[in-house]
Amino acid sequence: MSLDYVQIRPEFAEGMVELEHRSFPHADRRDLLSVEGVLMQCQRFPEGAFVVLDGDRVVGMGLGCFVDFDFDQPQHHIDEVVGEYGCENHDPLGEWYYGTSIAVLPEYRGRGIGRTLYDLRKGVVQRNNRAGIVAGGSIPGYAEHRDRMSAAEYVEAVTNGILTDPTLTFQLANGFEARGVIAGYLRDDSVDSWASLIVWPNPDFDRDRFVAEKAAYRS
């Protein structure tokens, strides 16, 4: 299988929206990627978004933008951090890369696409000397356990290897940390709108350099 990993372009918009809807079938579409959101990402931060193509078909994507994230107040709906269209709150001086979406078509999973997308986004973080990646991670497996445990208990069980989640287990294997849960992150009745708060700290982050460059940019 020959796949191409490219930066986002406007002509991918419809395919990306279809991919998002197929990847998160239980989520409210008002909270998912739109054509307007794709075009905004292309305009404001194209280097932060990657698309995987099989010929002309969009089969995977990983998107995000730079923001300042307050870990002292981690509860949020995704729009509160990145804006309604997923990128209007992009701050070129933001300390963190906030992952807004990562998705692979079901029939293309298990082929290393997701791992490559994570590596590409980690590369954006490292080249730009940012603190890391933060995101609200879907926990689809919680739908089968929500009658027996809380979302926090579920995420802890997955983190400790007691349970396996299709998304969170993969994220943990790719170097992410689960730092609790987020209530009302996306409207998704199947998991009572819960998500995990996931973080990948950049091991090469130079805070002094970041602060100095930020001050110089603003002066």
Side-chain angles (χ1 to χ4, degrees):
M1 182 182 63
S2 178
L3 299 174
D4 294 316
Y5 292 80
V6 299
Q7 282 189 344
I8 194 172
R9 296 202 298 266
E11 57 264 34
F12 302 149
E14 291 186 4
M16 292 173 67
V17 170
E18 179 184 356
L19 167 59
E20 178 103 327
H21 291 172
R22 287 192 59 190
S23 298
F24 304 100
H26 302 294
D28 191 313
R29 293 197 172 191
R30 291 173 295 176
D31 292 335
L32 299 181
L33 188 65
S34 65
V35 169
E36 293 84 359
V38 173
L39 297 179
M40 185 172 291
Q41 180 88 45
C42 292
Q43 179 184 29
R44 298 196 176 184
F45 191 41
E47 59 269 35
F50 301 93
V51 174
V52 188
L53 301 175
D54 183 359
D56 294 330
R57 187 186 188 193
V58 174
V59 301
M61 64 183 180
L63 318 177
C65 59
F66 289 152
V67 299
D68 286 325
F69 188 82
D70 186 358
F71 285 93
D72 292 329
Q73 298 183 359
Q75 298 300 312
H76 66 282
H77 184 277
I78 184 172
D79 291 355
E80 295 171 353
V81 176
V82 299
E84 180 182 0
Y85 294 107
C87 197
E88 61 259 50
N89 292 349
H90 169 65
D91 179 1
L93 303 178
E95 185 174 350
W96 290 85
Y97 177 101
Y98 189 98
T100 54
S101 181
I102 187 164
V104 178
L105 283 176
E107 58 267 36
Y108 283 80
R109 293 171 188 169
R111 306 184 189 185
I113 297 173
R115 182 178 296 276
T116 301
L117 286 168
Y118 274 127
D119 288 344
L120 288 169
R121 299 200 299 178
K122 289 174 183 177
V124 172
V125 169
Q126 292 176 317
R127 287 192 299 275
N128 288 275
N129 187 39
R130 293 306 195 268
I133 301 173
V134 60
S138 65
I139 45 174
Y142 180 55
E144 299 178 5
H145 299 272
R146 62 179 181 167
D147 293 334
R148 300 189 297 275
M149 61 178 64
S150 68
E153 290 170 335
Y154 175 78
V155 167
E156 183 177 2
V158 174
T159 300
N160 291 331
I162 299 170
L163 294 175
T164 299
D165 181 86
T167 300
L168 180 56
T169 299
F170 177 73
Q171 292 162 335
L172 295 171
N174 278 273
F176 282 81
E177 304 168 359
R179 298 189 183 180
V181 292
I182 308 170
Y185 178 71
L186 287 177
R187 287 164 284 198
D188 184 343
D189 292 339
S190 70
V191 293
D192 297 331
S193 300
W194 286 99
S196 59
L197 177 64
I198 59 168
V199 179
W200 176 77
N202 176 10
D204 301 321
F205 180 51
D206 185 334
R207 181 169 295 280
D208 291 340
R209 176 187 149 201
F210 173 78
V211 171
E213 290 177 347
K214 192 169 186 176
Y217 184 92
R218 287 177 169 169
S219 64

